[in-house]
Each structure stands twice: as structure tokens, then as C-alpha cells.
Amino acid sequence: MPQPASESPSHSDVAARAERRWAIVMLGIIALLVAMVVFTGLHWAMMPPSRVETVDPATLQLSGEFTEANLGSAVEPDGSVTVRIVGQQYSFTPQCIVVPAGTPVTFRVTSADVIHGLMIMGTNINSMIEPGFISTFKTTFDKPGDHQMPCHEFCGTGHQAMWANVKVVEPSAFTQLADHARRLTCDL
Amino acid sequence: MTHLRKPWWRDRIVGGSLATLAMLLLLSGVVGFVWLPSAQNDARFKGILDAICGAAGIPRGWLADAVPPLPTPRHVSTVVLTPDTLSHDAPGSIGRGGTLALKCTMCHGLRGVSTSETPSLAGQQSASIYKQLRDYQTGARSSAVMEPLVKDLSDQDLKDLAMFYGSLPREPARDLGNAPDIVAFGSPTRNIAACGSCHGGMTSKLGAPWLDAQPRAYLRTQLLAFSHGTRRNDTSAQMRNVAANMTPQEIEQAVEYYGSGR
Ligand SMILES: [Cu+2]
């Protein structure tokens, strides 16, 4: 039954209503995505890329904090521990990392050659290790135990052999070790 | 139809959408650049400017007030090896190296092929020869024989010698098909990559020398020295990390495979 033209909605009104609905749906989707980012950011420690810091990968061994003598775990004045690691084809130095349980630990890791990766099994620690950049991340291990730390970024023909150990020990045992050396590892 | 003649930004829908989009952008910016970074447990993200710079990836120092680095002991190599350490060399380098090498033939052989327990140098990676010579010079690698011989040579002399020996024909490489497991596969569960992934055969790593046809006694001494930590000039322990995990049997197998009859 045909309606008089003046009473039916004009084409542009129909289009406007459809567009408004679409806009609301899109806005809803974006709001949901932002909410997810906020939730995972606050509760799952998934943060936007951050803590960018550069270093010359060819001269790590000469000076600065990644010289051989300075690698391993260092006790800071505030009682926290800083662990410095160099990743290279096809090992991490030190090969065995020792840290105390229940103590804030800051990892500082860089690569001497190509892109490597690092994850500490049984924890949510997982980072890229890029030549030219220092990866910094903080954590606290809640209990003593041994963790494997493989390289998870293909770095060449020997990649599958590249991993290290992380030994989390009682704070008292760590303090005893720290009395004997200024940089600690559990290397052989 | 008058509203169609209005400029587009005054259209209710277009204008409204734009305004909403701008709000969203602002909101997401605040979430990503201020709220989430500030929520991190890190003093260096506190304050709006720090939070924004951190999230935007401005390079800066992320470790405040750490204890200062320990001094570097003498046995650490100070050589910086990059793929072009030896590539911009002056013309005539090989010729000058050949002249300087007259001092070396007595032990390393007339054409760099040694017939004693001294290592051969013919066809060796130039970068590796240069690094070892510099390490003898600084004392990072110790040898009562080699240290006095390179003491008075200039950096260019060392480069010339390295270019000269690198240019000589190399002894034929071993066939990886007959290699023992430690050489061909390493031992991935013990953090040992295949020797061939650094020393040639599969791939070569800058600074890792050829091992083929070196004297057995020399190879054995070097592997034991790395595993006991008495040779420490390998940068960031790249070779010590391998040798420290090898069993005495594996050391023998590798020496047997790479070594020449001498
Ligand atoms: Cu790797």
C-alpha cells in the first residue's frame, strides 16, 4: 500500500540512522578493546613497550655494566638484586643465574650479536633480547626452585642449544654467597 | 534538502562522529601513555612526562643508583670485532704482512702450515688471527712464546700479518659427514652448540677460527684451558661456556676429528 511520499522517511534519514547505529557498534568495539588493554595491563602485567635504553653491542666487553667482571647478580644498597646477562650465539653469560627468593630482582639483559629471546619457565618473564638495546624487567620470585631459561627467538644454527639456568635460593643462602663475591653466579 | 548544502563538518552525524573519535583518541592516549605506564611499579614512570616518554619509547637510563660496575681485569680481551674490522685495509697489506711473517716461519711453517705442535695459520680467518695477536699483545691470552714476539708490533702490523696468513691456501676442511655427535650436533641439553655452527662446516661465527688440521696437542691444550678457565680471552665467555660443559671423552672426540696426524 503506497504511502504519500511526504510521510515516508527520506533516504537521507534512513542512511543517517543506519550510520548512527554503525558508529555506536564501532565505538562499542573500540571501547571493549581499550577496556581489554586496561584490564590485561593492570592485572596481567602486559604493558605497552617501554624502558627503551641503548648500548653499543660491539663494545660491551670494554666498559660499562656488561663487562665480564660485572655480569651476574649484584646486591644493591637497598637490598634488591640486579642481574646482568649477555646473550650471544649460542649461550647466555652467566650460564647459571642465582637470585634470592622474596627479594625484588631487576634483570638487565642485552645481546652481543643478533636478536635473542629469554623466558624463565614457570614464571611470566619473557622478553626479546636485542643487540643495541638493554631489556630491563623487574620481578620477585616467591619461592626457591630451579628454572630453565631458554632462548626463544631463532638466532642461528646453534639456537636449540642456547639456554641458561635460574636458581632461586633462600635469602639466607644468597647472603652467604654474597659475602664471598661481589657478583654472584652459580656457574661451575 | 537545505542541510545537504551545509559544509560537511557542520553535519550533525559527521561532526558528532568526529567529536566522538577525537574523544576516543584522547581517552586511549591517556590510557596508554599515562595511566598504564604510571601503574607500573617503577619510580621512573612516575609523573606525566616520565610516563609519556617511557610509553613512547624515548631511550634513557632505566636503572637509577646501581652499584658501580667492577673494574675489568687484564685477561679480558679488548678487541672489538665487527664484520669490517679488517675490510678497509690499505692496499699492499698482504705484501707487508708477508715480509713481517719472515719472523714467524720458524715455528708456524714456511707457508703457514706448521709441522710441529705450533698451530697452523694458513687460510685462517683473518679476523681471528688479528684478535689472537692483539690478545697476546695485551696479555689477555698468555703465551711465553708469542707475547714477546708481538710486543713491539703496531696495530697495522698485526692487521697485515692477519691479512697475509688469511690469504694463504688453507688445508682441506674435514667432512662433517664423519663428524662425531659433539661436532655435528653438539649437546643441546647441556648448552653445547655444534662446533660446526661456529667453527665452520655449517656456519661461521666472527672470531671463531677454523680448527681443521690443527695439531692435536694444540687443540687439546686449548680446550682444556677454556674448560678450566685458564684461557679467558674469548669475549663474554663464548667458548668457555662450550668447553666447560664438555666431558673429557667429548674433548678427545673433537680433538681426534679436527686434529691432524701430528
Ligand atoms: Cu639465542
Side-chain angles (χ1 to χ4, degrees):
Chain A
M1 191 180 173
Q3 295 270 323
S6 60
E7 282 175 30
S8 77
S10 75
H11 292 312
S12 55
D13 280 349
V14 174
R17 217 176 306 136
E19 282 193 32
R20 195 177 313 113
R21 283 197 201 119
W22 273 114
I24 289 170
V25 171
M26 297 324 287
L27 273 177
I29 292 177
I30 296 175
L32 186 70
L33 289 175
V34 172
M36 278 163 64
V37 169
V38 171
F39 180 81
T40 56
L42 294 182
H43 299 285
W44 295 350
M46 299 215 187
M47 293 295 176
S50 54
R51 299 201 184 101
V52 176
E53 186 169 354
T54 54
V55 67
D56 178 0
T59 57
L60 298 177
Q61 72 275 22
L62 299 187
S63 61
E65 58 180 304
F66 292 101
T67 58
E68 200 181 311
N70 204 46
L71 299 180
S73 309
V75 181
E76 302 294 348
D78 64 0
S80 70
V81 170
T82 306
V83 184
R84 295 185 181 83
I85 306 171
V86 169
Q88 64 200 345
Q89 289 170 323
Y90 296 104
S91 59
F92 292 101
T93 302
Q95 287 173 298
C96 183
I97 292 141
V98 59
V99 289
T103 309
V105 178
T106 304
F107 282 88
R108 303 267 291 166
V109 195
T110 192
S111 163
D113 39 42
V114 299
I115 296 181
H116 298 279
L118 164 166
M119 71 193 270
I120 302 183
M121 316 261 291
T123 73
N124 67 349
I125 297 174
N126 182 328
S127 176
M128 300 262 284
I129 312 298
E130 291 164 271
F133 295 92
I134 301 175
S135 305
T136 305
F137 41 92
K138 301 181 176 212
T139 192
T140 301
F141 292 90
D142 48 10
K143 55 179 189 299
D146 288 349
H147 304 263
Q148 289 187 332
M149 186 181 98
C151 168
H152 61 54
E153 198 65 52
F154 181 77
C155 57
T157 42
H159 163 65
Q160 70 281 8
M162 179 167 176
W163 57 277
N165 276 309
V166 177
K167 223 185 223 323
V168 185
V169 299
E170 293 289 356
S172 56
F174 188 83
T175 316
Q176 268 178 11
L177 288 173
D179 288 341
H180 300 289
R182 287 192 288 168
R183 297 293 177 271
L184 306 179
T185 72
C186 38
D187 279 349
L188 301 171
Chain B
M1 299 305 271
T2 46
H3 65 283
L4 276 187
R5 258 176 271 117
K6 271 197 295 194
W8 59 268
W9 64 88
R10 299 214 17 219
D11 180 89
R12 206 160 47 86
I13 291 183
V14 175
S17 310
L18 280 181
T20 321
L21 261 183
M23 292 258 294
L24 252 183
L25 203 67
L26 192 74
L27 187 81
S28 322
V30 171
V31 166
F33 283 92
V34 183
W35 183 12
L36 288 185
S38 312
Q40 296 218 39
N41 181 19
D42 189 327
R44 315 222 77 204
F45 278 114
K46 300 300 178 222
I48 286 199
L49 195 66
D50 277 351
I52 292 178
C53 289
I58 311 284
R60 58 211 196 106
W62 285 98
L63 188 70
D65 325 316
V67 290
L70 297 183
T72 298
R74 189 175 105 105
H75 63 251
V76 171
S77 178
T78 53
V79 180
V80 174
L81 272 194
T82 64
D84 37 38
T85 303
L86 285 173
S87 67
H88 310 292
D89 258 301
S93 186
I94 295 179
R96 282 197 305 275
T99 313
L100 288 164
L102 292 174
K103 284 204 297 182
C104 325
T105 48
M106 181 172 62
C107 302
H108 290 284
L110 206 55
R111 298 277 293 160
V113 180
S114 144
T115 50
S116 61
E117 287 188 2
T118 310
S120 291
L121 301 175
Q124 186 54 277
Q125 315 265 9
S126 295
S128 173
I129 300 184
Y130 170 68
K131 175 173 186 292
Q132 299 308 318
L133 291 175
R134 274 277 303 275
D135 285 349
Y136 286 129
Q137 210 171 40
T138 59
R141 180 174 175 185
S142 61
S143 158
V145 180
M146 283 303 299
E147 281 179 60
L149 281 163
V150 290
K151 195 172 60 129
D152 297 323
L153 296 179
S154 71
D155 195 56
Q156 189 59 47
D157 291 344
L158 303 187
K159 287 186 170 156
D160 294 345
L161 280 163
M163 294 303 282
F164 168 70
Y165 278 114
S167 73
L168 295 178
R170 183 185 154 209
E171 291 199 54
R174 298 285 186 267
D175 175 10
L176 206 61
N178 312 324
D181 284 358
I182 186 70
V183 172
F185 308 114
S187 178
T189 55
R190 283 179 297 137
N191 189 205
I192 304 177
C195 316
S197 56
C198 293
H199 287 285
M202 295 184 240
T203 44
S204 295
K205 179 168 163 125
L206 184 69
W210 300 113
L211 302 174
D212 304 278
Q214 291 292 23
R216 293 207 162 94
Y218 174 73
L219 292 174
R220 187 179 298 112
T221 317
Q222 299 310 314
L223 279 169
L224 291 173
F226 280 127
S227 84
H228 298 153
T230 46
R231 176 172 168 186
R232 311 175 62 90
N233 68 318
D234 54 325
T235 300
S236 298
Q238 47 193 324
M239 185 57 215
R240 269 169 289 160
N241 285 349
V242 175
N245 291 315
M246 290 173 78
T247 63
Q249 292 80 350
E250 285 167 340
I251 291 186
E252 272 323 301
Q253 288 165 356
V255 167
E256 195 55 38
Y257 167 76
Y258 282 116
S260 67
R262 286 165 265 124

